[in-house]
Amino acid sequence: MLDYCRRQSWPRHPTMPRTFLAILCLWFLLIYIPGWALGTELGPPPTFPKDLSGLELPAEERGLFAPQVLRVNPQNRQESRTFFNTYYLAATPPINWTGDRAICNAGTTAANFSDAVLLRVNYYRAMAGVPGVVFSDTYSAKDQQAALMMSVNRSLNHTPDNSWTCYTTDGAEAAGKSNLAMGTPMVGPAFIDLYLKDRGDANYATGHRRWVLYPQTQNMGTGDLPPGGSFWAANALWIMDVNIWGPRPPTREEYVAWPPPGYVPYQVVYPRWSFAIAGANFSKAAVTMKLKSTGAAVPVVQEPLATGFGENTLVWRANGLSSDAVWPKPAADTAYEVTVTNVVISGSPCNFTYLVTVFDPATSVGVMPALFLLMD
């Protein structure tokens, strides 16, 4: 059907007019193709920098923390549901971009639009049990240059050179310190979802996700362009600051998992699941999943290990899904018991078991199994 829709010349049909065929294909695209699949590009994630150069902020921006710290206890179904419906589903204001691609003007975006991007970042961080972040004006101004460069050149690159259209040194610096993505008709917060999903064969290590959820980070930035003409929308999300090698702050769990333990809306459950612990050795680790209700095994495919972004992480694809797939809406709350074994921490092997209950936040009731954690 999709190939049929893509044909350049519409074949004549003895009984079906072209208008009806066009409507039929449009209906197919809107109903059966996920929104992000209408056009997205997600390159590889940035890696740890060699040093702290370019990460120092002006004095007036140092020591800034998230003005509104989002908190949620995912072990409580209603609390997770309310948190999703209040913060994740919050309306995205118009971007009100002031720039112009034709003259390489990166422009600015509306303050409340940037706030919406930040809210999506902090939604994920709160659900994962890590501290919130605040956007730096310095980082965001450079990211705006990077987003312009990616959009006008129709390409993503963490090391663009001066041959790029609309090249600036600030934009090139930001490209090396930011998650980068393009898409249409996506804008703003939807790109944060794309980073958490980390679809595509090149993103088997979920590097973008690891940066978004990196506990040490206190300051980020965002640069955003809307789609226009033949150009896609673009986002650059600055994800590293001077705290990158600093002490790890307290987190809700010893580890950072996505999806996290507790009740998680199915809309933010992605095919790739991840389990991160700073300094952990996952070389001999294994993961299994089963349905809590029946004990039936859930198929998992472990991804290759990779370092260079965020905390050391074990990644696997669950339920036989490809990385591009959308997690299906559950008919009822579905609890998955996850067990990760042979995680070596400070020379000692450890095992972890936790429960993730995938649910539909449109429903107010559901089966509510207890959360538990075991560690040997």
Side-chain angles (χ1 to χ4, degrees):
M1 180 67 180
L2 186 56
D3 288 339
Y4 187 65
C5 292
R6 285 174 171 167
R7 292 181 185 176
Q8 298 297 317
S9 299
W10 287 81
R12 294 198 174 272
H13 194 282
T15 60
M16 196 177 297
R18 292 186 184 183
T19 301
F20 178 79
L21 284 172
I23 293 173
L24 178 65
C25 285
L26 178 61
W27 172 84
F28 174 84
L29 290 172
L30 292 177
I31 299 299
Y32 288 101
I33 304 298
W36 52 261
L38 292 178
T40 61
E41 184 175 344
L42 182 65
T47 56
F48 275 102
K50 295 180 180 178
D51 52 48
L52 296 178
S53 60
L55 299 180
E56 286 286 351
L57 290 173
E60 62 271 17
E61 289 192 280
R62 294 174 194 166
L64 293 179
F65 297 95
Q68 180 184 7
V69 179
L70 299 184
R71 297 184 185 278
V72 62
N73 175 15
Q75 296 185 34
N76 183 299
R77 186 188 192 276
Q78 184 57 39
E79 192 170 334
S80 181
R81 176 177 181 256
T82 300
F83 193 70
F84 177 86
N85 291 332
T86 302
Y87 296 109
Y88 184 91
L89 293 184
T92 300
I95 188 171
N96 290 339
W97 182 53
T98 64
D100 186 342
R101 290 178 175 90
I103 59 173
C104 293
N105 177 4
T108 60
T109 63
N112 58 354
F113 176 86
S114 178
D115 290 343
V117 179
L118 178 62
L119 183 65
R120 186 62 54 87
V121 170
N122 280 331
Y123 168 83
Y124 281 111
R125 289 178 69 91
M127 283 290 290
V130 302
V133 297
V134 64
F135 279 167
S136 154
D137 291 341
T138 299
Y139 293 164
S140 292
K142 294 180 179 181
D143 263 339
Q144 197 64 30
Q145 298 285 339
L148 173 68
M149 289 167 57
M150 303 304 135
S151 182
V152 298
N153 288 278
R154 298 183 173 88
S155 183
L156 300 176
N157 194 317
H158 291 293
T159 57
D161 60 35
N162 60 10
S163 67
W164 276 47
T165 302
C166 299
Y167 175 88
T168 64
T169 55
D170 281 350
E173 179 192 4
K177 295 178 171 68
S178 302
N179 285 348
L180 302 172
M182 295 190 298
T184 188
M186 304 174 70
V187 290
F191 284 113
I192 309 305
D193 297 335
L194 191 63
Y195 298 140
L196 264 288
K197 182 167 185 166
D198 250 349
R199 56 178 282 267
D201 293 343
N203 291 309
Y204 62 88
T206 63
H208 300 94
R209 176 190 299 174
R210 287 155 70 170
W211 282 127
V212 173
L213 302 180
Y214 190 56
Q216 279 90 326
T217 306
Q218 296 177 15
N219 300 107
M220 293 186 180
T222 188
D224 295 274
L225 263 70
S230 63
F231 296 103
W232 280 7
N235 171 266
L237 183 75
W238 191 293
I239 43 73
M240 53 185 74
D241 65 7
V242 293
N243 306 294
I244 193 166
W245 291 299
R248 191 180 191 272
T251 55
R252 188 178 59 231
E253 287 86 28
E254 176 184 2
Y255 54 86
V256 176
W258 196 269
Y263 289 91
V264 185
Y266 77 92
Q267 294 95 327
V268 293
V269 176
Y270 304 112
R272 285 189 169 122
W273 292 38
S274 58
F275 180 90
I277 297 182
N281 183 341
F282 290 104
S283 61
K284 297 182 179 180
V287 62
T288 58
M289 292 177 59
K290 65 181 180 181
L291 291 173
K292 184 64 177 174
S293 58
T294 65
V298 175
V300 300
V301 177
Q302 285 187 214
E303 301 280 25
L305 297 176
T307 58
F309 3 80
E311 297 188 317
N312 292 350
T313 301
L314 182 70
V315 181
W316 64 97
R317 282 182 288 111
N319 244 354
L321 297 174
S322 72
S323 69
D324 289 325
V326 175
W327 196 272
K329 181 170 119 175
D333 293 6
T334 306
Y336 298 90
E337 184 178 302
V338 179
T339 299
V340 183
T341 58
N342 291 323
V343 181
V344 178
I345 302 173
S346 300
S348 299
C350 299
N351 301 329
F352 299 84
T353 297
Y354 59 97
L355 208 64
V356 176
T357 302
V358 180
F359 77 105
D360 180 1
T363 62
S364 58
V365 295
V367 180
M368 301 178 68
L371 169 73
F372 64 94
L373 169 67
L374 302 175
M375 187 176 92
D376 297 339

